[in-house]
Amino acid sequence: RRVVRKDCGTLQGMSPDAPLFILHQSPRKISIYEVHTMNEQITIIDGENRYITDCTEILQKSELGNAYFSDEQKAKAMLQYALEKKELYIALNEQGECVGFIYCMQNGVFGSYPYLHIISVKEDCRGNGIGSLLMSYFEEKYPSDKYFLTVDDFNINAKKLYERLGYQCVGQLPDFYKKGIDCYLMMKRL
């Protein structure tokens, strides 16, 4: 393995006592080790078909899933599409269990900037830094001076996470994906 950054320190916008991250890169995957809090290795890999069912379950047990993906076949089809486009990345714990995923596009905004379409973490793993690890992976995977995502008005914890990581609201999209739900367009500048 080749070390990309030996000591990444804390993620931008996080408190000094937040987790310390060390990244290692191999040809197939990037492993992110969260040193302080979980004492567990989390490995992020390119999406694989064998994890689609796990990702579907994780998504459906989230606020986002409750709003948009209550239909299991619709959720699986969307994740299968992301897999085919090579835009799905899976977080695995030391036992090889799927604990979260991201669906992101390198040129998803205006054909020029990385866009995080979906991030979801397994319900019993939330609050352990996996969402932050996935966000860090997104930014490492697609180097850019700007990053974008949308977050729904009901998803308050996700919005707080994104703000803590340096994202700012740059617009509001009323009834964007679903009538009665507003989305906030968020951007991070480096």
Side-chain angles (χ1 to χ4, degrees):
R1 290 182 181 182
R2 181 174 60 86
V3 175
V4 176
R5 292 187 304 180
K6 185 177 179 194
D7 177 357
C8 300
T10 57
L11 295 174
Q12 181 181 354
M14 295 183 77
S15 67
D17 55 337
L20 179 68
F21 299 96
I22 302 173
L23 280 68
H24 299 274
Q25 185 173 11
S26 70
R28 180 168 130 48
K29 58 191 171 190
I30 291 181
S31 298
I32 302 178
Y33 300 86
E34 196 279 290
V35 177
H36 292 307
T37 309
M38 295 176 357
N39 289 326
E40 182 174 36
Q41 175 181 329
I42 299 297
T43 304
I44 299 176
I45 65 168
D46 293 342
E48 295 179 7
N49 199 47
R50 65 182 164 151
Y51 294 109
I52 293 293
T53 300
D54 294 336
C55 290
T56 301
E57 184 177 318
I58 290 168
L59 178 59
Q60 288 191 296
K61 291 183 177 179
S62 70
E63 291 185 69
L64 187 68
N66 289 334
Y68 300 110
F69 297 104
S70 59
D71 180 325
E72 182 179 352
Q73 293 309 313
K74 180 181 174 184
K76 276 189 177 179
M78 182 270 306
L79 291 166
Q80 193 65 47
Y81 176 81
L83 179 66
E84 291 166 10
K85 291 289 191 181
K86 300 186 184 316
E87 296 173 338
L88 184 68
Y89 304 94
I90 313 290
L92 304 174
N93 65 13
E94 291 175 334
Q95 293 75 40
E97 300 166 334
C98 178
V99 293
F101 70 91
I102 52 173
Y103 171 7
C104 49
M105 303 162 197
Q106 184 169 9
N107 297 307
V109 174
F110 311 118
S112 299
Y113 299 104
Y115 175 70
L116 179 71
H117 184 53
I118 295 176
I119 180 172
S120 194
V121 174
K122 191 173 181 180
E123 196 170 21
D124 62 350
C125 297
R126 294 179 193 148
N128 290 316
I130 295 170
S132 296
L133 290 171
L134 287 163
M135 292 297 295
S136 179
Y137 182 84
F138 164 61
E139 293 172 10
E140 289 286 326
K141 180 78 177 167
Y142 302 123
S144 180
D145 61 339
K146 294 182 187 103
Y147 296 91
F148 290 86
L149 57 86
T150 56
V151 63
D152 295 308
D153 57 7
F154 61 79
N155 207 344
I156 297 164
N157 289 334
K159 188 169 186 275
K160 286 179 185 177
L161 168 67
Y162 304 142
E163 288 170 342
R164 204 170 56 242
L165 296 175
Y167 286 80
Q168 297 178 332
C169 184
V170 294
Q172 186 171 349
L173 308 167
D175 303 322
F176 188 60
Y177 289 115
K178 194 172 189 177
K179 188 167 177 60
I181 300 175
D182 292 350
C183 284
Y184 299 105
L185 179 63
M186 299 187 80
M187 179 180 74
K188 179 177 181 178
R189 262 184 230 268
L190 295 183

